[in-house]
Amino acid sequence: MFRTTLAGLLAHRLRLMLTSLAIVLGVGFIAGTFVLTDTIDAGFSRSFAADADKVDVVVTPADDADAEDDGILPDRALAAVRAVRGVRDAQPVLSGDAPLIGRDGKVVGDYPTAGVSIPASRIKITSGRTASAAGEAVLDKNTAKAQGFAPGATVAVLDKAGKRHEFRLVGIFDVGLDQNLAYRGAVAFTPETARLVTGAKGFTEIDVVSSGPAPETLRTAVAAAVGSGAKVMTGRERGDELARSNHVDTAFLRTGLLLFAAVALLVAALVIYNTFGILVAQRTREMALLRCIGATRRQVFASIVLESAVVGLLSSVLGLLTGLGLGAAAVATLKAFGADVPTGTVSLSPQTIAIGLCTGVVVTMAAALLPARQATRVPPVAALGTQAEEHTFRTGVVRVVFAALFTVAGAGLTAAGVLQSPGQVALLTVMAGGVLVFFAVLVLGPVIVRPLSGLAGWIPARLFGVPGRLAVDNSRRNPRRAATTTVALTVGVTLMTFMSVLTATVRSTVGDQLDRQFPADYILTAQTGGIPRSIADSLRASRDLSAVTEFRGKKAKVNGHDYEVGTVTRSALGTSVRPEASAGTLDRLGVGNVAVADYVAQDLGVKVGDHVTVTSGGRSVPLTVVAVLKAGVSLLPPFTMAEQTFEQRFGRVDDAQILVNAASGVPAERARAVVEDATAAYPAVKVGSTTEIRGQFDDAIDTVLMVVTGLLALAIVISLLGIANTLSLSVHERTRESALLRALGLTRPQLRGMLSVEALVLGLVGAIVGVVLGVVYGWAATATLTKDVSFRLPVTQILVFIAASGLAGVLAAVLPARRAARASVVGALAAS
């Protein structure tokens, strides 16, 4: 039987090519994921090790440092380290805020640029040199490129008090592996200048170079000198620690990509199952002849399983090679787009090889088990038949029972998730329900494919005449095969529709919330500090503006907990600011009263009429809750006082945010110019608009959707291979039938058209089921995100998915249809 199985594989090498390709793609995705993340990890580890080799001992604040130390090392720690015998040099690292002023006169970015001082041995200069004098600075390369700064230019930063300082740019540096500096941008100074600008009271790190003692020996001496308030490691230990933290970060990337790989493998398993099922049906006489000459059922079962193991092993090997290429391509793409990601040598690790081989072989063998079991039921007398038996399909009690159980359980979990309070638990509950409902669809596939084929083929059957009607009948002849074929496509369409519904609804919901939360044309915020009150006064004096609303806030303790306490211009309540109250009313907001956000009221267990105590500066004042506000549609702080009460308690505080509305009929450009002029003298005050905020959010959503769609496209490709495989094997199975149709007058173009329409119907059936599941669970998922959901159905995208599925099915049928049309009529009729 072993030799017979291998001989069968060698005799029909092309028979399982498309099945092998499905496994190749699935395993390739897994291997490519590991290759990419392993390469990034290796690059980071090598870079961390290179940095660690530059220092012998590293001192950082202890993990449990006192809050009063603000997580820094004091000057006395540096002095103590330098006094240790065996220390040749000890250089501190300082870090704080040093907002950089860009070409437009405003501070750069959403967060303050970091002001740092890094030892010369550690800083990576890419152009120019390090700062060596008080009036010199070095800028990180990404910020320099974005702002158009080069060595020799003059740059300006704001110090902690908001005062402007100018420096001569003497170099450009690479922040390396510090992702915080890469995100914020950084300006490097001499240690004295860095402390002057940032106001830093201590150091974030001290790098120590030995004059002779081994790093481990010096680490012990330094640890004894600095005491328990610091953490002391060798340079190598520090590099390993940073590398481990990075591995945690890449683990998220690996997990996300492997989820898509799991979807691809699920689709590949369905394709394999269908392929082996068809092959077993086509080889009925072969199996029967083996039984006639003495083969046992166990031997027939083992031959099919062995065949799947060989196919799985060869496909997995090809998949590993494909994954190596995909990983290398991903690394090259990252480098081409200038991503700040160090990479190592692209290679397949033993772990990746083991996982890829095991996954591919196990999935292939598992998918072939049911067809192998079916092969053992072939009676020896079947060898006397002249053609393969056309299997009929019966629903069966077991199928109905399991489908009902899955449906009831899935629907129950979905309903429970939707009815829960929005949150992660509700979302996971809905997803679990979706998985169970999908199982129900999988079980009921052969039952629902008949009516759906009739629905999807109603128009083609009338447009294409006799070939169209024959195609629709063919798509319904073997419901089990058709269902398995379409389910593979259903998985991909379901997930793509789900993502489209989810993103469209989130975009609409956020847009509606922005309209409610930001009922203004322009928004003024300060990157650091507050907004001087003079800005609001000058804006209010302009006739081109209709409303100016100021928000102010202060940190305080409320009933012993830290919260933001603030106020808003009284005249703006109900006009520019329209908060919604779930209890009470803002009409009573006056001296001695406070409005509370709903989530805070729940945390503190307070309601309208209760009292809260606000403590700041050693003084406490009791306030009465007069309203509980919906935080999701409110710009107000967690605790909102009347203006008079706030100023009595906290004094004259700068504005935290200002909303500005243009007067009716004033062009947007003119109103914007007025706002810009009022803030021109204040670099830290930035002007934005709801249009800009919505645009940034839309860009982020579109990027996520594009990435997810691209990853799910792999599942779609594999499912199309399944359709092509099914049609190819089905065409081979119906060789005599096709020849008979040709003999009765069906032309070659009509035969090709019949098979193309059959593929079209199968593609549309998979798309219809996928769209229904995707829409239902897209809606259910959005219901778990927030209470006020603005559901949107992306009709255009859904129609595109359906049309693309049908077109893809037609393309998958091109080669099988061409092969069927070219077959000899006489030769096919003469075949047994």
Side-chain angles (χ1 to χ4, degrees):
M1 287 300 297
F2 179 77
R3 291 195 298 270
T4 301
T5 300
L6 294 183
L9 283 172
L10 293 175
H12 303 283
R13 290 182 294 273
L14 297 179
R15 186 170 62 187
L16 299 173
M17 183 181 67
L18 292 178
T19 302
S20 300
L21 189 55
I23 286 294
V24 167
L25 292 176
V27 173
F29 202 116
I30 290 179
T33 296
F34 279 103
V35 168
L36 173 63
T37 53
D38 288 348
T39 302
I40 293 175
D41 281 343
F44 271 106
S45 297
R46 188 173 63 237
S47 298
F48 286 130
D51 282 349
D53 288 339
K54 297 176 182 178
V55 295
D56 295 303
V57 173
V58 177
V59 183
T60 59
D63 295 334
D64 56 350
D66 293 337
E68 64 181 16
D69 291 335
D70 200 24
I72 59 173
L73 297 168
D75 290 341
R76 63 178 180 273
L78 178 60
V81 171
R82 286 176 170 170
V84 173
R85 177 176 296 179
V87 172
R88 186 180 72 189
D89 189 23
Q91 291 296 328
V93 176
L94 287 86
S95 181
D97 291 342
L100 175 70
I101 300 176
R103 296 283 188 183
D104 60 355
K106 295 294 183 180
V107 290
V108 174
D110 296 326
Y111 295 93
T113 308
V116 298
S117 172
I118 303 174
S121 61
R122 296 281 300 278
I123 195 168
K124 302 174 183 178
I125 298 295
T126 60
S127 176
R129 60 177 176 81
T130 59
S132 58
E136 297 176 345
V138 181
L139 185 61
D140 77 280
K141 64 177 184 180
N142 291 333
T143 304
K145 181 179 179 180
Q147 295 296 319
F149 289 128
T154 298
V155 296
V157 299
L158 301 179
D159 63 15
K160 190 172 183 180
K163 184 180 178 181
R164 180 187 178 103
H165 297 264
E166 292 188 351
F167 299 89
R168 186 167 66 90
L169 191 63
V170 297
I172 306 297
F173 78 105
D174 184 355
V175 297
L177 306 174
D178 193 324
Q179 298 304 305
N180 179 48
L181 296 186
Y183 178 71
R184 296 172 57 189
V187 187
F189 311 96
T190 62
E192 296 75 14
T193 304
R195 174 169 287 189
L196 173 67
V197 171
T198 63
K201 298 177 181 179
F203 315 113
T204 57
E205 182 179 313
I206 299 174
D207 296 339
V208 183
V209 178
S210 172
S211 63
E216 291 76 12
T217 303
L218 188 60
R219 175 192 60 193
T220 302
V222 170
V226 297
S228 59
K231 182 178 180 181
V232 184
M233 297 169 284
T234 64
R236 179 62 61 181
E237 289 171 342
R238 176 62 171 168
D240 292 342
E241 180 184 67
L242 294 173
R244 283 194 300 272
S245 66
N246 173 72
H247 294 336
V248 173
D249 294 337
T250 54
F252 287 105
L253 172 64
R254 181 184 294 118
T255 301
L257 291 176
L258 287 179
L259 288 176
F260 290 99
V263 172
L265 278 176
L266 171 63
V267 176
L270 293 172
V271 171
I272 295 165
Y273 165 75
N274 205 30
T275 301
F276 273 95
I278 297 173
L279 290 176
V280 167
Q282 290 179 349
R283 294 158 62 189
T284 299
R285 293 187 65 197
E286 179 185 327
M287 300 297 175
L289 284 172
L290 289 173
R291 295 291 310 282
C292 284
I293 60 176
T296 64
R297 290 188 173 185
R298 180 176 297 179
Q299 287 177 316
V300 171
F301 179 85
S303 70
I304 301 296
V305 174
L306 175 60
E307 187 173 326
S308 67
V310 173
V311 172
L313 180 61
L314 294 177
S315 302
S316 299
V317 171
L318 292 175
L320 289 173
L321 297 177
T322 302
L324 182 61
L326 291 174
V331 170
T333 301
L334 288 175
K335 291 182 178 178
F337 281 93
D340 273 334
V341 179
T343 53
T345 303
V346 177
S347 62
L348 288 171
S349 67
Q351 176 192 21
T352 302
I353 294 174
I355 292 175
L357 289 177
C358 291
T359 302
V361 172
V362 169
V363 168
T364 307
M365 293 180 66
L369 287 179
L370 285 179
R373 183 171 176 268
Q374 185 67 31
T376 63
R377 299 180 177 180
V378 178
V381 73
L384 302 177
T386 58
Q387 60 182 10
E389 180 184 354
E390 182 74 29
H391 294 284
T392 57
F393 170 76
R394 295 180 181 177
T395 303
V397 176
V398 175
R399 184 182 298 273
V400 172
V401 170
F402 273 99
L405 290 176
F406 282 131
T407 302
V408 171
L413 282 176
T414 302
V418 171
L419 295 176
Q420 287 183 40
S421 299
Q424 184 177 6
V425 174
L427 179 60
L428 293 177
T429 304
V430 167
M431 293 298 98
V435 171
L436 293 179
V437 169
F438 177 78
F439 284 151
V441 172
L442 192 64
V443 173
L444 283 178
V447 179
I448 63 178
V449 76
R450 283 182 179 270
L452 288 180
S453 295
L455 174 64
W458 187 81
I459 294 179
R462 282 154 180 77
L463 287 179
F464 298 100
V466 173
R469 292 195 294 274
L470 288 173
V472 175
D473 290 339
N474 285 335
S475 67
R476 305 173 68 183
R477 283 171 59 182
N478 194 326
R480 184 181 287 109
R481 178 194 302 168
T484 310
T485 302
T486 57
V487 161
L489 183 61
T490 297
V491 174
V493 175
T494 298
L495 294 175
M496 293 181 72
T497 304
F498 170 84
M499 285 302 303
S500 297
V501 172
L502 185 65
T503 52
T505 301
V506 169
R507 183 182 283 113
S508 175
T509 301
V510 170
D512 290 346
Q513 290 183 351
L514 283 174
D515 291 338
R516 285 183 288 180
Q517 290 187 20
F518 297 94
D521 297 315
Y522 303 103
I523 307 163
L524 275 63
T525 56
Q527 191 187 80
T528 57
I531 304 174
R533 290 199 178 189
S534 58
I535 293 180
D537 294 337
S538 64
L539 291 172
R540 195 173 284 109
S542 174
R543 295 183 178 180
D544 293 323
L545 306 177
S546 63
V548 177
T549 305
E550 302 117 286
F551 294 83
R552 305 183 190 105
K554 268 289 192 179
K555 291 288 186 181
K557 285 190 176 294
V558 182
N559 287 2
H561 300 277
D562 291 326
Y563 284 106
E564 178 81 12
V565 178
T567 188
V568 64
T569 308
R570 176 66 187 178
S571 59
L573 289 175
T575 54
S576 298
V577 180
R578 297 185 292 272
E580 297 181 20
S582 57
T585 175
L586 284 173
D587 294 339
R588 296 173 51 197
L589 185 62
V591 177
N593 298 328
V594 67
V596 183
D598 50 8
Y599 70 93
V600 175
Q602 183 177 358
D603 291 343
L604 297 182
V606 298
K607 59 184 182 300
V608 174
D610 290 345
H611 297 281
V612 295
T613 301
V614 178
T615 304
S616 177
R619 295 173 52 201
S620 299
V621 57
L623 300 172
T624 303
V625 177
V626 295
V628 176
L629 307 179
K630 295 181 180 179
V633 290
S634 172
L635 281 173
L636 300 177
F639 290 89
T640 303
M641 303 177 176
E643 281 185 279
Q644 183 179 353
T645 304
F646 183 84
E647 295 212 351
Q648 288 176 349
R649 184 68 191 82
F650 297 101
R652 189 174 177 83
V653 176
D654 283 340
D655 297 328
Q657 187 179 69
I658 300 176
L659 302 186
V660 181
N661 280 335
S664 178
V666 175
E669 297 80 6
R670 183 175 169 183
R672 178 76 181 235
V674 171
V675 177
E676 294 282 6
D677 289 343
T679 61
Y682 304 93
V685 178
K686 306 188 72 172
V687 180
S689 68
T690 53
T691 302
E692 294 170 351
I693 296 174
R694 185 179 283 107
Q696 293 172 357
F697 180 80
D698 286 344
D699 289 343
I701 285 288
D702 290 339
T703 300
V704 171
L705 181 61
M706 181 179 65
V707 171
V708 171
T709 301
L711 294 173
L712 290 178
L714 179 66
I716 299 293
V717 170
I718 295 176
S719 64
L720 295 180
L721 291 175
I723 293 177
N725 208 14
T726 300
L727 283 175
S728 180
L729 295 169
S730 180
V731 165
H732 174 74
E733 188 179 73
R734 292 181 290 173
T735 300
R736 296 188 65 201
E737 177 184 315
S738 299
L740 182 59
L741 290 173
R742 289 283 313 283
L744 293 175
L746 200 68
T747 64
R748 286 184 175 181
Q750 286 178 320
L751 180 60
R752 287 196 297 266
M754 181 189 75
L755 294 173
S756 297
V757 172
E758 183 178 344
L760 170 66
V761 171
L762 290 176
L764 291 178
V765 168
I768 290 172
V769 178
V771 164
V772 171
L773 290 175
V775 169
V776 170
Y777 280 92
W779 167 82
T782 57
T784 65
L785 300 179
T786 181
K787 292 181 179 179
D788 300 313
V789 176
S790 301
F791 181 74
R792 289 294 182 275
L793 189 65
V795 177
T796 302
Q797 287 185 346
I798 290 174
L799 292 177
V800 168
F801 291 154
I802 295 175
S805 299
L807 177 61
V810 173
L811 293 176
V814 170
L815 290 180
R818 184 170 177 267
R819 187 181 307 114
R822 294 177 61 183
S824 169
V825 175
V826 176
L829 288 174
S832 53

